[in-house]
Amino acid sequence: MSDPASEPHSAATPPKKARARVPKTVWDLVFTFGIPILILSPNILGSGISVADFLGGEKAGGVPGLGSANVRAYLLAALIPVVYVLWDILKNKNLSPVALIGGAGAIFGGALAFWYVDGFWYAIKDSARSYLTGILFLISAATSVPLFRVFLDAASIGEKPGDRAATQQAMRDPGVHRGLVLGTVVFAVVDLIGGVVNSIVNYDRVVAKFGSEEFNGQVAAVNAIMRIPGLVISLVGVFAAIWFVQRAVRVRFGPEASLLEPAKLAAAMRERGEVRGEQAGPA
């Protein structure tokens, strides 16, 4: 019978549990949604104070410009998400096409913050990224690489080389390419519709003059109101686009094939003798 005192220390003392990490989605919401709204709010959590109170300069009724505390607060709220997105790309060394598109969109949104407008033009400005994305996707649909293909291709980056190669081959198939084109167009149209909806809500609710405390408060309120509807509209576009692509893949390679599951797609292609070269080996 062994002496308990001779047992390894690790057996007597259970290892410490690894500290739970905050999910990246939470950080995304904090820096792209929560913090900007708090900065814009003229009455943070009912405290009667605002970030503009601490930024110096003319607070209410000031001339729009960096001398106005309200404008400084507006710019700070607009630029924090830009810095966060770019920091995330650099920190993770993520130079994939999807990340670069997201980074370019963030820079575009940050640049628009310096376009000091209100009323109709603010409503257009706040949806400009959706309009630009929709237009770029529509243009890409007429090329050999529709942009929705770029997003689906990114999903297979971590897969086995053979499975990823099968995915690449499938997306070059004429029938699947037509599905990718249709999915790209659907995604673009839904994104444009989302932009129009967002512009209408902004035009109806953001009625104060730019540079005023009321303007910042109205912008914060609309951002909060439109967060979930905007997300739902985006998801509708994504799922509708995926449905058209998946339909094309299954028509071409069988009901078990799925572009979102490269291993299944490769297996379905092997069964049909569609896989070329080294990809034809065992899974």
Side-chain angles (χ1 to χ4, degrees):
M1 184 173 179
S2 62
D3 183 1
S6 66
E7 294 293 328
H9 179 70
S10 58
T13 306
K16 293 182 180 179
K17 292 183 178 179
R19 182 183 296 178
R21 297 182 63 183
V22 178
K24 184 177 181 301
T25 304
V26 174
W27 290 119
D28 291 347
L29 287 172
V30 167
F31 284 98
T32 65
F33 178 63
I35 291 177
I37 285 181
L38 288 177
I39 291 173
L40 290 169
S41 175
N43 183 18
I44 298 176
L45 302 177
S47 64
I49 62 174
S50 69
V51 171
D53 293 331
F54 304 98
L55 294 179
E58 186 75 25
K59 182 171 183 292
V63 177
L66 290 179
S68 167
N70 292 318
V71 173
R72 292 177 184 177
Y74 173 80
L75 291 176
L76 182 62
L79 295 177
I80 279 180
V82 179
V83 173
Y84 170 73
V85 170
L86 296 180
W87 173 83
D88 184 59
I89 292 173
L90 294 174
K91 174 178 177 290
N92 296 308
K93 298 180 181 178
N94 185 0
L95 298 179
S96 69
V98 174
L100 293 177
I101 290 172
I107 292 172
F108 177 70
L112 283 177
F114 294 92
W115 183 22
Y116 298 162
V117 289
D118 46 42
F120 172 80
W121 287 113
Y122 175 77
I124 296 298
K125 183 181 88 166
D126 196 62
S127 298
R129 286 177 65 177
S130 292
Y131 296 143
L132 180 62
T133 300
I135 291 170
L136 289 177
F137 269 69
L138 284 177
I139 293 173
S140 75
T143 71
S144 60
V145 186
L147 278 175
F148 199 69
R149 172 180 171 171
V150 175
F151 285 86
L152 291 177
D153 181 53
S156 68
I157 287 177
E159 300 295 331
K160 295 178 180 178
D163 295 342
R164 179 164 164 74
T167 300
Q168 296 286 322
Q169 179 186 328
M171 289 195 290
R172 290 192 296 268
D173 180 86
V176 176
H177 177 77
R178 286 192 291 272
L180 287 166
V181 169
L182 184 55
T184 297
V185 170
V186 168
F187 179 84
V189 169
V190 172
D191 217 46
L192 290 170
I193 291 172
V196 171
V197 171
N198 185 66
S199 288
I200 290 172
V201 174
N202 273 280
Y203 184 68
D204 179 63
R205 291 178 174 267
V206 183
V207 296
K209 295 295 291 181
F210 179 83
S212 67
E213 187 177 64
E214 292 77 11
F215 177 86
N216 285 3
Q218 290 168 2
V219 169
V222 170
N223 286 347
I225 290 170
M226 288 303 298
R227 184 68 181 192
I228 293 179
L231 179 61
V232 169
I233 292 173
S234 294
L235 289 176
V236 167
V238 170
F239 286 122
I242 289 175
W243 184 86
F244 282 107
V245 176
Q246 292 284 67
R247 185 182 66 170
V249 169
R250 285 167 181 156
V251 167
R252 179 66 179 82
F253 299 109
E256 297 302 318
S258 171
L259 204 60
L260 299 180
E261 298 178 89
K264 281 189 176 182
L265 175 62
M269 292 174 71
R270 279 193 292 271
E271 287 181 7
R272 289 177 167 240
E274 298 279 358
V275 182
R276 301 178 192 139
E278 296 179 358
Q279 302 168 40

